[in-house]
Amino acid sequence: MSGLDGLWTRRWWRVGVLVVVCGLLATAFQALTGVHGDDLAVYRTAGRAVLDGTNLYDGSFNARLPFTYPPFAAVVAVPVAIGTWGFMQWTWSFISLLMLAAIIVLSYRGVPLTRKRPLSVYVGFLILWTIASPISDHLGYGQVGLFLTFLCLIDVLARPKWLPEGVLVGIAGAVKLVPIVYLGYYVITGKWKAFAGGAAGFAGATAVGFAILPRASLDYFGDIASLSGRVAVGDPAVFGNQSLRGMALRVLPDAMVGPVWLAACVVLAGLGILATRRVQRLRGDLAAFTVVALLAAVVTPIAWTHHFVWLVPAVGVLLTPPRGRSTIPAWSLAAVALTAAVVLFRLPRVGADLDVPVVGFVLENSLLWVAFAVLVALVVPGADRNAGVDASAGDPKSSLSA
């Protein structure tokens, strides 16, 4: 067997192991936790509505929760309407974990230990993240965030040459509106062709939705503010909403929440532009895109715990030495340790149940603090110190062909 054949054999063997581990984790998760799949049930009902010709946005939509996604998302959800409920619950968890595995492989290539023991690193983080609150909540609800994150990472790190940059991010935005904010990354970094590609991807996917569901498309985009606002099912002040506005709702008088939140968003937008440019220079495209994605979760009105799936690639970036360095900065390791403590021990819930004013407040909003800690650690890795270092060092994109 040639060296090249042996390389491909090892790669496919690793892929096979990851697929098996995902299957085992999906089975264990369903058996031990009982996947309730509230959001998956909404996607499933939306897929059936497309097949049956019923309206997605009125009282004829027969699901416990409303459908607040664009019509294109309902078109994509048609396969979810096929098969039994139990089979689809397991399948959704399995495919979600496959997406998680792919995100880890794409984001953790630069981690020093990965070069020596790649399979151990991938499997280890796959298990840990499955236990952690953003992913376990994602699986429990049957959410779509991992799929959208995977699309964005493919666009940033492993996009086929024939596909214009930004298109996959735009398509992700046509499934769920939040990724449209990610197109700001291309504006901030001056990648105008990529921004145009993202706009084209969004427009094309939306046009598909309009062609298949013209009435629903008119209903949705004609009343988008009202329909999008319905995402706040229940009380947005509960600990599960880890956005900046969620924290404000928990601690401030109602009259102050709006002005304080808007002022904070303006400040964070300005700082985010500077941070994105700096992080791209020091850590590469994945890190800069992650800054935009995490900031989007922080400033949106509603950011449930499963919306913080971008912490997965963020940890991979933090565990990768920045450009010009051979070691991982101490503050990056501290941010990773803080993230692990919060997501593995579910500290927001602990804080919500703790009747100790200051400590309870800190813990109840700890996922938001983690997002800020990660952003700071990404922004201040230290200036480039070795002018002769290869500019691609520390950028996961440079190792994809290794």
Side-chain angles (χ1 to χ4, degrees):
M1 179 181 293
S2 67
L4 184 59
D5 290 339
L7 176 61
W8 279 107
T9 299
R10 290 195 298 273
R11 283 183 174 177
W12 283 111
W13 180 75
R14 292 169 185 165
V15 170
V17 171
L18 287 174
V19 170
V20 171
V21 172
C22 288
L24 293 174
L25 286 173
T27 302
F29 189 89
Q30 189 166 7
L32 297 175
T33 66
V35 181
H36 52 79
D38 287 350
D39 293 318
L40 179 59
V42 173
Y43 309 148
R44 184 175 172 87
T45 306
R48 286 177 175 167
V50 173
L51 297 175
D52 298 338
T54 57
N55 199 308
L56 294 166
Y57 305 112
D58 63 14
S60 65
F61 186 76
N62 188 25
R64 191 175 72 84
L65 300 175
F67 184 75
T68 59
Y69 299 87
F72 179 70
V75 175
V76 175
V78 167
V80 182
I82 302 171
T84 65
W85 174 238
F87 172 77
M88 187 49 60
Q89 284 177 303
W90 182 90
T91 302
W92 190 266
S93 295
F94 174 60
I95 297 176
S96 296
L97 287 167
L98 288 179
M99 297 298 100
L100 175 61
I103 292 167
I104 290 171
V105 170
L106 287 169
S107 307
Y108 291 59
R109 288 175 176 268
V111 177
L113 187 59
T114 302
R115 299 184 183 279
K116 297 180 180 179
R117 300 180 180 276
L119 190 58
S120 299
V121 171
Y122 298 150
V123 171
F125 276 106
L126 179 59
I127 294 172
L128 287 174
W129 276 116
T130 301
I131 298 171
S133 59
I135 306 305
S136 60
D137 291 345
H138 181 288
L139 296 175
Y141 285 103
Q143 257 290 336
V144 72
L146 286 171
F147 297 83
L148 304 183
T149 302
F150 173 71
L151 277 181
C152 294
L153 287 186
I154 290 294
D155 202 298
V156 174
L157 296 177
R159 174 179 46 84
K161 293 182 178 180
W162 53 266
L163 186 66
E165 187 176 5
V167 167
L168 293 179
V169 178
I171 292 174
V175 174
K176 189 174 183 178
L177 292 180
V178 171
I180 294 177
V181 179
Y182 304 166
L183 296 180
Y185 163 75
Y186 300 120
V187 175
I188 294 170
T189 56
K191 296 185 176 184
W192 296 106
K193 288 184 178 180
F195 177 79
F202 175 79
T206 300
V208 170
F210 189 90
I212 298 174
L213 300 168
R215 177 59 187 274
S217 297
L218 290 174
D219 289 345
Y220 182 83
F221 290 103
D223 193 19
I224 190 170
S226 173
L227 290 170
S228 298
R230 291 164 62 193
V231 71
V233 177
D235 182 5
V238 298
F239 77 91
N241 180 13
Q242 288 287 301
S243 71
L244 193 62
R245 181 172 177 269
M247 182 182 68
L249 286 168
R250 289 188 284 273
V251 299
L252 296 177
D254 291 344
M256 294 181 61
V257 170
V260 170
W261 172 57
L262 289 175
C265 288
V266 170
V267 172
L268 286 175
L271 294 176
I273 292 172
L274 298 176
T276 302
R277 291 175 177 172
R278 174 177 170 81
V279 170
Q280 186 197 34
R281 177 173 62 86
L282 294 177
R283 289 187 181 266
D285 291 329
L286 172 60
F289 197 96
T290 301
V291 168
V292 174
L294 281 177
L295 277 174
V298 167
V299 301
T300 51
I302 304 292
W304 305 120
T305 52
H306 56 77
H307 290 173
F308 287 83
V309 293
W310 276 95
L311 287 173
V312 178
V315 166
V317 172
L318 289 175
L319 292 177
T320 299
R323 292 173 176 175
R325 288 179 176 267
S326 59
T327 59
I328 303 169
W331 43 88
S332 293
L333 294 174
V336 171
L338 178 63
T339 302
V342 170
V343 301
L344 289 173
F345 294 100
R346 302 174 181 272
L347 295 186
R349 178 177 291 277
V350 173
D353 296 335
L354 191 65
D355 191 19
V356 180
V358 175
V359 177
F361 166 76
V362 172
L363 295 181
E364 188 176 19
N365 300 285
S366 54
L367 199 55
L368 179 61
W369 306 136
V370 159
F372 282 127
V374 167
L375 288 169
V376 170
L378 289 171
V379 170
V380 290
D384 299 338
R385 296 186 300 178
N386 300 320
V389 175
D390 182 0
S392 65
D395 188 349
K397 186 186 296 185
S398 66
S399 65
L400 290 178
S401 60

